[in-house]
Amino acid sequence: MNASSPASASRSDGPGIPRWIPAIAALSALASTGIYLHRAGNYFFGDDFELLADAYRGVTLWEPVSAHLRPLVRLWFELLALWPSAPFGHLASLGLHAGVSLIVAWFVRSVGQSPRVAATAGLLFYGSFLANEAVYWISAIGVILCVGFSLLALIADLKGRTWAALGMLVTASLAYELWIVVPFLMLLRRERPLWTRVPPFALLALHAVLYLQVIDRGTSAYGGLSLTDLPVRMSLYIYRLASPLLGFPEVWMALAIVGLVVALLAVREFRFAAALYLLSTGLFAFSSKISSRFYYVPALAMILMLLVLATLGRGPRQLRFLGLAGVCWLALISPVINYLDGVDYARLATMHREIAEGVQPSLDGWQPGDRHEVVTRFGSEAMAGFTRELRGRPKLIFLREGAIAGLVHAEDLVSVSLGPRGLRAEPVRDCRDSRMEIGAGREVAWHCLEVWEASAGEYR
């Protein structure tokens, strides 16, 4: 997928793809839509509780999310707090993902590919199982927003609109860190004046200073880079495309995969997609754990590589057949994995729902100014059974120390439960009212919570 192709080109340099390919991609996308809509009734889980609770507490939009500055994510949860419905959040994520898929098709068309190839790219990306956590998990909204605005920046750059591209990049930078690969991708279009590359890299430098000096956690937030693990971390995405339910590739296989992608940089047609893959997976290699949401951009890169292979106008015919086979495989397997992953995420959401519904009756009488003692006796044993019984892909589940079942902190759960009543919970030292015990067994954590008026909708 040659990012330096003129935007006015009307067709690809290759032979194109058969008419039945976009039809298969459309059927796959339709099947995935049905699966997503069926799972839209899932409850909140994971960071959803913390971010929604922070919205009720009136946390500033510029407060880091973990070690990352993501004001658009906080703004999204401020808006969600005005209508605290998990199904609404999931449907909104699906709608935004569909919008990004349209932008993918627009981008592919802008680099000179045919409408058929562009439509296939958008449909494959929309239905791809590799991107499904961003739809199933509301907290992954930052990835969707970042990719959407990053692609708009690339489209603006293709059209010669330097400052519009910079504006899109600024917006992308407020959502997720993936945008930092875009200035390097822009370098591939060498016919643009050199001065147009200065603003994106100036923004990148400002971003780096902000993280290293202000937030002061830098790239170590997810464990840091390991050179010995680098090939496996960077090759895992392609490996999982071919074998979604398996574990990790052998080191020799990982080296071969990464070496092949690096070699593709020398081929003009593959250069953009290979660079996108290497830059995004290289960035994620700073994490010792590969979360499912990390697949969102590598999924796009792999789809672009498959489509370049399927439309290649030179080389052995077998290469084109390999690309078409890869496209068909992705279209056929995606609804299956989306369904299996949906079962896992539904089980995880149900565990959170059962905890929330279990404490709700005890919260009905809580009023502003009350101080209540909360004792958690629900350990993380249930999560062991969950991880042993996964139906879909391997999943990274973060256990929170001192949290109920290792899943949700008591103050976040109480704030989310009280939020629709216009209330929130804040930790204090002294309790004077009731005592609530969650679960049975040994004491896992003790909290003293005071009830306050909520601050949802106060944008700061």
Side-chain angles (χ1 to χ4, degrees):
M1 201 65 59
N2 183 12
S4 65
S5 299
S8 60
S10 60
R11 59 183 180 86
S12 71
D13 295 331
I17 55 175
R19 294 181 182 274
W20 50 268
I21 288 290
I24 289 179
L27 290 174
S28 177
L30 183 61
S32 292
T33 298
I35 294 166
Y36 284 140
L37 292 176
H38 176 66
R39 293 300 181 192
N42 287 356
Y43 194 58
F44 301 111
F45 65 87
D47 291 348
D48 294 346
F49 279 88
E50 181 179 349
L51 290 169
L52 190 54
D54 282 348
Y56 286 124
R57 296 183 188 116
V59 171
T60 173
L61 300 182
W62 301 100
E63 179 71 20
V65 177
S66 182
H68 306 284
L69 192 64
R70 298 171 181 169
L72 282 187
V73 174
R74 289 209 176 274
L75 177 60
W76 185 261
F77 275 85
E78 288 272 9
L79 298 173
L80 184 59
L82 301 177
W83 189 9
S85 162
F88 170 76
H90 292 303
L91 288 172
S93 294
L94 177 59
L96 285 175
H97 175 56
V100 172
S101 301
L102 289 174
I103 297 174
V104 167
W106 183 13
F107 171 74
V108 173
R109 186 76 178 105
S110 296
V111 298
Q113 292 294 325
S114 69
R116 191 182 301 172
V117 173
T120 302
L123 289 166
L124 284 176
F125 181 72
Y126 171 80
S128 170
F129 72 89
L130 295 160
N132 67 28
E133 189 182 59
V135 179
Y136 283 126
W137 189 31
I138 300 172
S139 294
I141 192 69
V143 179
I144 301 177
L145 293 172
C146 177
V147 172
F149 284 109
S150 294
L151 287 173
L152 289 176
L154 288 170
I155 293 171
D157 185 68
L158 284 168
K159 297 178 179 295
R161 299 172 181 172
T162 301
W163 298 112
L166 182 64
M168 292 297 103
L169 271 188
V170 170
T171 308
S173 72
L174 301 178
Y176 205 76
E177 294 69 43
L178 270 171
W179 73 274
I180 67 176
V181 308
V182 177
F184 298 96
L185 294 173
M186 288 179 173
L187 291 177
L188 297 177
R189 194 173 179 223
R190 297 177 181 176
E191 67 269 24
R192 294 281 284 140
L194 184 59
W195 75 265
T196 64
R197 302 306 176 223
V198 174
F201 278 96
L203 179 63
L204 183 57
L206 178 63
H207 183 85
V209 170
L210 179 65
Y211 268 80
L212 297 177
Q213 300 298 323
V214 178
I215 296 181
D216 197 30
R217 288 185 64 183
T219 59
S220 64
Y222 288 121
L225 184 66
S226 168
L227 294 179
T228 57
D229 294 335
L230 185 63
V232 172
R233 293 181 186 182
M234 293 184 66
S235 66
L236 183 60
Y237 308 87
I238 291 178
Y239 181 75
R240 288 274 170 81
L241 172 63
S243 54
L245 302 180
L246 297 184
F248 295 85
E250 298 290 339
V251 174
W252 67 267
M253 187 182 302
L255 289 170
I257 292 173
V258 175
L260 175 61
V261 179
V262 171
L264 290 178
L265 291 173
V267 183
R268 179 180 62 87
E269 293 89 346
F270 285 97
R271 190 167 296 141
F272 177 84
L276 179 61
Y277 182 89
L278 293 171
L279 288 169
S280 59
T281 60
L283 177 62
F284 290 138
F286 283 94
S287 173
S288 60
K289 304 292 184 181
I290 305 299
S291 301
S292 294
R293 64 187 177 277
F294 290 177
Y295 285 73
Y296 203 75
V297 168
L300 174 58
M302 289 184 285
I303 288 169
L304 296 181
M305 283 191 278
L306 286 175
L307 287 174
V308 169
L309 202 58
T311 57
L312 205 58
R314 54 193 174 97
R317 183 177 301 178
Q318 289 83 351
L319 290 178
R320 188 173 175 229
F321 174 79
L322 183 62
L324 292 172
V327 168
C328 292
W329 164 254
L330 181 60
L332 292 173
I333 197 65
S334 284
V336 176
I337 304 300
N338 284 337
Y339 171 79
L340 295 176
D341 282 344
V343 172
D344 292 337
Y345 289 124
R347 287 180 57 219
L348 187 61
T350 298
M351 294 173 66
H352 288 77
R353 181 191 292 274
E354 290 174 348
I355 295 171
E357 291 179 347
V359 304
Q360 188 61 55
S362 301
L363 304 177
D364 289 341
W366 288 24
Q367 298 296 329
D370 291 350
R371 292 187 178 185
H372 300 275
E373 184 180 5
V374 179
V375 179
T376 299
R377 300 185 183 277
F378 196 166
S380 59
E381 296 81 7
M383 285 305 300
F386 173 80
T387 54
R388 285 195 305 266
E389 299 169 6
L390 290 174
R391 298 280 301 277
R393 292 178 294 163
K395 293 175 176 62
L396 178 62
I397 306 299
F398 179 68
L399 294 180
R400 292 162 169 79
E401 184 177 354
I404 304 168
L407 297 176
V408 54
H409 289 289
E411 60 267 30
D412 295 333
L413 173 64
V414 171
S415 291
V416 170
S417 299
L418 295 177
R421 293 171 48 197
L423 305 175
R424 72 181 193 272
E426 295 284 359
V428 292
R429 290 188 176 183
D430 301 319
C431 292
R432 62 186 179 218
D433 295 301
S434 68
R435 174 186 175 95
M436 179 175 67
E437 296 195 4
I438 304 175
R442 66 178 181 85
E443 180 177 314
V444 176
W446 178 90
H447 306 270
C448 184
L449 303 178
E450 183 172 1
V451 183
W452 293 73
E453 296 284 348
S455 302
E458 294 182 5
Y459 308 112
R460 304 181 182 186

